[in-house]
């Protein structure tokens, strides 16, 4: 709940006025990842720092987040499944260790950032197994996740004409639930290169009946898995 409130405050300025979108040019991002991987690594380091580099532009944030996908090629996903199982079983120490291992591979993995923050929060309330952790120790993980949500939000508005761009299916659910406070949908369909959700309920942060996510990168990774 605390992370949601912080996130909604951060969103207010972003969705309050008309804004320009930051396009995701997959061909250009792939080329940058191939020819200039260090540039993307440097941008990822700046985006994932505990204190955000205020000089980092949104086009640079887009290149960092979406370019990272080409550097890691989803190789952290097996660990993500293990981490999620630990979280489900409330094995918070194992969950945190797994999340940290994932973030060494991909510092911008939203699932790992959320679960690391949640695990620290839970451990801080356990007087026996807190490991000296406090709730403040969770803040950098939540803050980094919110930066990524803000970055995704700049790529579109959820319409068919301007979908939100994602690199993982899980990013869709994290973005809808944590960032837009959207929890219920009646159907989900693949339309071209977009994952389209028909919403059962709206929130004050998203009022349209459908929300579109551009999943070119998701489909590309799926094709790689079957080659």
């Amino acid at each position: 709940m605390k992370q949601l409130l912080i996130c909604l405050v951060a969103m207010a300025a972003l969705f309050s006025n008309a804004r320009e979108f930051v396009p995701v040019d997959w061909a250009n991002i792939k080329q940058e990842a191939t020819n200039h991987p260090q540039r993307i690594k440097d941008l990822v380091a700046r985006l994932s720092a505990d204190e955000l580099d205020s000089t980092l532009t949104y086009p640079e944030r887009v290149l960092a987040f979406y370019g990272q996908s080409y550097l890691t090629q989803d190789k952290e996903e097996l660990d993500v499944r293990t981490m999620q199982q630990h979280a489900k079983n409330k094995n918070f120490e194992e969950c945190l260790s797994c999340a940290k291992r994932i973030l060494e591979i991909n510092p911008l993995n939203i699932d790992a950032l959320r679960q690391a923050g949640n695990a620290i929060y839970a451990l801080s309330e356990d007087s026996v197994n807190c490991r000296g952790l406090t709730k403040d120790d969770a803040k950098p993980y939540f803050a980094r996740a919110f930066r990524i949500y803000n970055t995704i939000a700049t790529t579109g508005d959820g319409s068919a004409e301007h979908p939100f761009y994602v690199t993982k299916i899980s990013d869709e659910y994290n973005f809808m639930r944590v960032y837009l406070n959207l929890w219920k949908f009646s159907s989900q369909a693949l339309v071209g290169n977009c994952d389209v959700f028909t919403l059962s309920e709206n929130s004050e942060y998203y009022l349209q009946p459908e929300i579109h996510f551009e999943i070119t990168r998701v489909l590309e990774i799926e094709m790689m898995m079957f080659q």
Side-chain angles (χ1 to χ4, degrees), residues 22-119:
V22 179
V24 176
D25 185 336
W26 289 117
N28 180 65
I29 290 173
K30 184 176 183 179
Q31 185 177 29
E32 282 289 313
T34 301
N35 298 333
H36 307 288
Q38 190 59 50
R39 182 189 177 198
I40 292 175
K41 292 177 183 178
D42 291 343
L43 291 173
V44 168
R46 291 167 65 190
L47 184 58
S48 59
D50 285 349
E51 293 294 330
L52 177 63
D53 182 348
S54 61
T55 66
L56 196 64
T57 66
Y58 272 101
E60 288 175 329
R61 290 167 69 150
V62 164
L63 180 56
F65 177 62
Y66 297 94
Q68 178 69 15
S69 176
Y70 285 100
L71 298 185
T72 56
Q73 300 287 6
D74 255 19
K75 62 186 177 184
E76 76 270 24
E77 284 305 304
L78 287 178
D79 281 332
V80 170
R81 295 176 193 173
T82 301
M83 175 191 68
Q84 301 287 33
Q85 191 60 48
H86 285 313
K88 182 179 179 181
N89 295 335
K90 298 185 178 181
N91 298 325
F92 296 118
E93 289 196 41
E94 292 85 350
C95 179
L96 179 57
S97 295
C98 197
K100 288 183 176 181
R101 186 165 63 249
I102 292 165
L103 293 171
E104 289 178 358
I105 301 171
N106 180 0
L108 303 180
N109 186 289
I110 297 175
D111 283 322
L113 291 168
R114 288 189 59 241
Q115 293 297 358
N118 290 339

Side-chain angles (χ1 to χ4, degrees), residues 110-155:
I110 297 175
D111 283 322
L113 291 168
R114 288 189 59 241
Q115 293 297 358
N118 290 339
I120 290 172
Y121 204 89
L123 287 168
S124 72
E125 296 186 322
D126 185 338
S127 59
V128 176
N129 298 310
C130 71
R131 297 170 51 185
L133 294 168
T134 69
K135 292 180 175 62
D136 285 342
D137 293 316
K139 290 181 179 179
Y141 295 98
F142 291 142
R144 195 188 311 177
F146 298 153
R147 293 173 200 163
I148 300 171
Y149 296 140
N150 282 333
T151 301
I152 294 172
T154 65
T155 66

